[in-house]
Amino acid sequence: MRFPTFGLLFDIDGVLVRGHRVIPAALEAFSRLVNSQGQLQVPVVFVTNAGNILQHNKAEELSALLGCKVDPDQVILSHSPMKNFPQYHNKQMLVSGQGPLLENARALGFQNVVTVDELRLAFPELDMVDLQRRPKTMRLRNDFPAIEGVLLLGEPVRWETNLQLIMDVLLSDGHPGTGLATAPYPHLPVLASNMDLLWMAEAKMPRFGHGTFLLCLETIYRKITGHELKYEGLMGKPSILTYQYAEDVIRQQAERRGWAAPITKLYAIGDNPMSDVYGANLFHQYLQMVNHGEEEQQTGGQQKPQPSATQSCASILVCTGIYTSQDPASQAPAYGSEELPFHGHRDFGFRPELLEASHIVRDVNEAVQLVFHREGWA
């Protein structure tokens, strides 16, 4: 019996779906990936920068759209690697985002979380932008537990409220009902996920992502304090922390299926040059350095480098989402040129060579065909 020695990392939005509609090429791709029993023939994970959803709900949605069983642990949300930060799991954390915030935070291991809405109700004098929501009476709380850190899981609905209250927490060292003469620095620990400036939905033009929210927060913090906002961990593509996590999930999947051969190659398929291509290429460089015993490069967090059986990570760019091209054989966009600004996160710097995809194809079906051809996999 032949065992797979490679794994596939699929982005979701712009690769498999647009909004809530499946891209036809995705159905063709997954008909190639499953055997006659409907089981995947190679290890697969779905790596999305979305985070305002529950893992098992996303797995059910993908199962229905793709016509094959997707397990919850195959779905890697932008904040999934926060499971690897246990030093914060028992701290009182303010959580920002939308959707099932408390469920997601607890699934990640955080035991004591406070939402922005709970904070707003406890300290109504903090949220003043919306005239309709301004409180008629004020009562000060002195029994509210001190906040010890901030979790940014995804873009919220009311940006002005979240920006204001997160700033209140950082400037007051976790006691937002009080005022300090000078802002403490370093500030409380901040863990963030999803740095995408833009993402592609049904609209013809890209939409603001959580990266845009982070940009606002960083700019406001620097403007008010004169200091840079620091992160204890930045997760989601293109962070190496996310690819390390995906690599581990792929390995565990292969072990569960009884596939004895080590997974030595990863193929990351995405539509966003700045998150999917940049991240896969950054991780490929990281693998080369770690496996050759060289020094660790920036990973987006505090994790130490671990040698692994994985030798390479190839980036495959599809033309069905953020990046489009009339000619799939054309080169990746010239992001190093003056015409196109850098859309990546501040902490990852700009290295134009990392935006060049290993391969550019029309859609995800062509991507799977390409991988099968390169691996001699029928």
Side-chain angles (χ1 to χ4, degrees), residues 29-337:
F30 276 81
S31 70
R32 297 178 190 280
L33 287 167
V34 298
N35 59 23
S36 54
Q37 288 80 46
Q39 285 186 309
L40 287 163
Q41 302 179 79
V42 300
V44 164
V45 291
F46 302 88
V47 188
T48 175
N49 272 354
N52 296 323
I53 46 175
L54 289 172
Q55 197 176 24
H56 68 84
N57 286 352
K58 195 65 180 177
E60 288 173 2
E61 180 188 326
L62 287 170
S63 298
L65 288 170
L66 299 173
C68 85
K69 180 74 170 70
V70 175
D71 293 324
D73 62 4
Q74 288 178 281
V75 176
I76 298 173
L77 302 175
S78 61
H79 45 64
S80 294
M82 287 186 188
K83 292 174 185 173
N84 294 335
F85 286 81
Q87 65 269 40
Y88 301 111
H89 289 173
N90 290 322
K91 292 188 181 296
Q92 187 82 17
M93 305 293 282
L94 175 69
V95 59
S96 169
Q98 60 179 286
L101 279 178
L102 294 177
E103 297 96 318
N104 270 326
R106 287 175 184 141
L108 294 168
F110 296 95
Q111 306 301 315
N112 306 302
V113 288
V114 175
T115 67
V116 170
D117 270 343
E118 288 171 333
L119 191 66
R120 181 177 67 83
L121 292 173
F123 300 100
E125 72 278 10
L126 300 181
D127 188 24
M128 285 285 146
V129 170
D130 187 341
L131 298 178
Q132 300 301 316
R133 290 208 307 182
R134 281 191 184 177
K136 303 296 181 286
T137 58
M138 298 286 186
R139 59 185 186 88
L140 297 177
R141 288 280 300 267
N142 54 17
D143 60 340
F144 201 83
I147 291 167
E148 300 173 283
V150 179
L151 291 178
L152 306 175
L153 299 190
E155 61 272 16
V157 175
R158 286 180 171 264
W159 286 31
E160 81 288 347
T161 293
N162 285 58
L163 289 168
Q164 177 69 77
L165 270 65
I166 291 166
M167 284 297 301
D168 287 334
V169 166
L170 294 177
L171 297 177
S172 67
D173 205 30
H175 300 84
T178 66
L180 295 179
T182 57
Y185 197 80
H187 54 69
L188 293 173
V190 178
L191 294 171
S193 63
N194 184 355
M195 296 163 272
D196 282 352
L197 190 76
L198 304 169
W199 68 288
M200 203 70 195
E202 287 95 342
K204 299 296 184 189
M205 293 172 63
R207 305 292 86 198
F208 290 157
H210 191 225
T212 308
F213 179 82
L214 296 181
L215 178 63
C216 293
L217 182 63
E218 292 155 11
T219 305
I220 294 167
Y221 187 85
R222 185 176 66 247
K223 191 74 172 176
I224 289 177
T225 68
H227 296 295
E228 293 291 343
L229 184 76
K230 303 288 187 184
Y231 298 97
E232 293 300 307
L234 264 175
M235 281 141 273
K237 297 171 291 188
S239 172
I240 288 172
L241 296 178
T242 288
Y243 290 85
Q244 288 174 317
Y245 187 87
E247 175 192 22
D248 202 40
V249 173
I250 288 264
R251 180 183 53 76
Q252 292 171 16
Q253 195 180 134
E255 287 173 0
R256 277 201 309 273
R257 292 288 297 273
W259 293 330
I263 303 300
T264 60
K265 297 178 186 175
L266 297 177
Y267 292 90
I269 303 166
D271 71 308
N272 188 330
M274 192 49 249
S275 60
D276 300 308
V277 173
Y278 201 96
N281 290 344
L282 189 64
F283 186 56
H284 177 77
Q285 285 198 355
Y286 169 82
L287 288 172
Q288 306 307 301
M289 295 175 75
V290 168
N291 290 328
H292 287 91
E294 297 177 32
E295 285 186 14
E296 178 188 14
Q297 64 186 56
Q298 192 175 31
T299 63
Q302 309 296 321
Q303 310 295 79
K304 291 185 177 178
Q306 300 288 335
S308 75
T310 309
Q311 300 298 313
S312 65
C313 182
S315 53
I316 305 178
L317 182 63
V318 301
C319 303
T320 50
I322 290 269
Y323 177 68
T324 58
S325 172
Q326 298 303 311
D327 176 14
S330 67
Q331 291 300 303
Y335 277 80
S337 67

